[in-house]
């Protein structure tokens, strides 16, 4: 069994690359952002201020998160309901980022993430996978790109999904969220000292995937077979 950690800011293409890596290597892809999004969704549903640490913490006992894989695709259940794309709304991104700065929320989601990696070979994407969740991961990659490149990709992705937004709004939200994720006190979104930094601003999705696969195969004999 082996573990691959892919961290980095939003829109760097972490989930696209991680999904393809999982399919190529036949391992499990874990999208940890979806867990924070699920908590954020619940907090919005309950009408609690997303920055109110005490109020959000008080909600946690009412949350039961389940993860199931159907044809290799991760489905996250909130108290038994599959939230599907509802957690991808731009508003939920801001909720997810805000609640992810609350230590009790991070502690609440820790075991769910580690448990999956204990019983499966995984490629896990997030912000603190290489630093906190899987500090002994076999490969750690910090994937990044310029904020313009990332916002452009995210804008096109949202537009394709029919979400009504503008490039400027996406860029502004993204920069705000990344700053908050990077500068928070607990598990800030920074590269682990032993992570390989990969800037894919000028790479196509295919080139980005090849670069990541190369790094993995160099470090994990099992994946090179
Ligand atoms: O990867 P994403 O955009 O779906 O993540 C949504 C938010 O969740 C992100 O702004 C920060 C937070 N997050 C985190 O703090 N730690 C993770 N491992 C994954 C996501």
């Amino acid at each position: 069994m082996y573990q691959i950690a892919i961290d980095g800011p939003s829109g760097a293409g972490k989930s696209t690359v991680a999904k393809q890596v999982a399919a190529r290597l036949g391992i499990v892809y874990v999208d940890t952002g979806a867990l924070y999004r699920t908590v954020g969704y619940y907090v919005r549903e309950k009408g609690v201020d997303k920055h109110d640490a005490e109020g959000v913490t008080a909600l946690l006992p009412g949350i039961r998160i389940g993860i199931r894989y159907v044809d290799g695709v991760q489905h996250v259940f909130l108290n038994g309901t599959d939230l599907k794309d509802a957690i991808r709304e731009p508003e939920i991104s801001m909720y997810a980022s805000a609640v992810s700065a609350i230590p009790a929320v991070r502690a609440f989601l820790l075991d769910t993430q580690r448990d999956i990696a204990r019983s499966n070979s995984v490629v896990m994407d997030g912000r603190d996978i290489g630093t906190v969740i899987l500090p002994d991961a076999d490969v750690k990659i910090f994937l990044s790109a310029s904020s313009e490149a990332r916002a452009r990709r995210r804008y096109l992705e949202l537009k394709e999904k029919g979400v009504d937004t503008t490039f400027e709004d996406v860029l502004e939200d993204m920069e705000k969220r990344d700053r908050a994720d990077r500068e928070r006190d607990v598990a800030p979104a920074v590269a682990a000292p032993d992570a390989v930094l990969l800037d894919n601003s000028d790479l196509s999705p295919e080139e980005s995937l090849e670069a990541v696969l190369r790094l993995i195969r160099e470090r994990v004999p099992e994946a090179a077979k």
Side-chain angles (χ1 to χ4, degrees):
M1 275 203 313
Y2 57 93
Q3 305 169 332
I4 301 161
I6 303 185
D7 291 301
S10 49
K14 299 186 298 293
S15 65
T16 307
V17 138
K19 256 181 235 165
Q20 291 170 331
V21 164
R24 286 276 194 104
L25 303 180
I27 60 176
V28 174
Y29 164 52
V30 188
D31 165 9
T32 63
L35 305 175
Y36 293 91
R37 288 173 179 274
T38 301
V39 173
Y41 181 94
Y42 186 78
V43 169
R44 187 188 60 170
E45 194 179 69
K46 292 291 170 193
V48 168
D49 174 358
K50 56 184 183 294
H51 296 290
D52 173 6
E54 240 173 72
V56 170
T57 303
L59 290 179
L60 297 176
I63 302 180
R64 202 165 29 83
I65 291 188
I67 300 186
R68 218 174 300 148
Y69 289 88
V70 183
D71 296 330
V73 178
Q74 172 181 305
H75 290 251
V76 180
F77 293 78
L78 168 61
N79 295 329
T81 304
D82 186 350
L83 296 180
K84 300 190 177 149
D85 273 351
I87 56 170
R88 303 290 157 198
E89 293 285 330
E91 197 192 354
I92 298 298
S93 303
M94 302 314 276
Y95 269 80
S97 178
V99 302
S100 75
I102 301 170
V105 171
R106 306 203 72 85
F108 177 72
L109 296 174
L110 186 74
D111 286 343
T112 308
Q113 299 170 78
R114 285 201 183 141
D115 283 349
I116 303 173
R118 205 168 286 132
S119 38
N120 305 277
S121 283
V122 294
V123 50
M124 196 175 275
D125 87 20
R127 303 293 187 291
D128 64 336
I129 309 307
T131 50
V132 178
I133 306 297
L134 305 175
D136 297 324
D138 299 85
V139 187
K140 297 180 185 181
I141 297 169
F142 195 83
L143 201 59
S144 196
S146 68
S147 42
E148 280 72 23
R150 293 186 289 110
R152 200 175 331 109
R153 293 174 193 160
R154 182 52 57 90
Y155 170 65
L156 294 174
E157 194 180 292
L158 288 170
K159 216 170 83 176
E160 199 159 293
K161 281 189 182 149
V163 177
D164 184 26
T165 184
T166 64
F167 172 77
E168 288 70 26
D169 282 349
V170 172
L171 180 63
E172 195 187 319
D173 271 10
M174 181 172 271
E175 289 186 330
K176 203 161 129 192
R177 183 150 71 97
D178 288 341
R179 200 173 319 115
D181 293 344
R182 229 176 21 241
E183 293 176 0
R184 69 186 175 212
D185 293 332
V186 280
V190 294
D194 52 347
V196 178
L197 308 184
L198 181 61
D199 184 310
N200 66 12
S201 306
D202 299 320
L203 300 185
S204 67
E206 294 75 26
E207 290 169 330
S208 201
L209 172 65
E210 283 314 316
V212 167
L213 281 172
R214 206 172 315 122
L215 288 170
I216 295 170
R217 289 179 177 138
E218 278 166 12
R219 287 164 177 75
V220 185
E222 214 183 317
K225 281 181 206 150

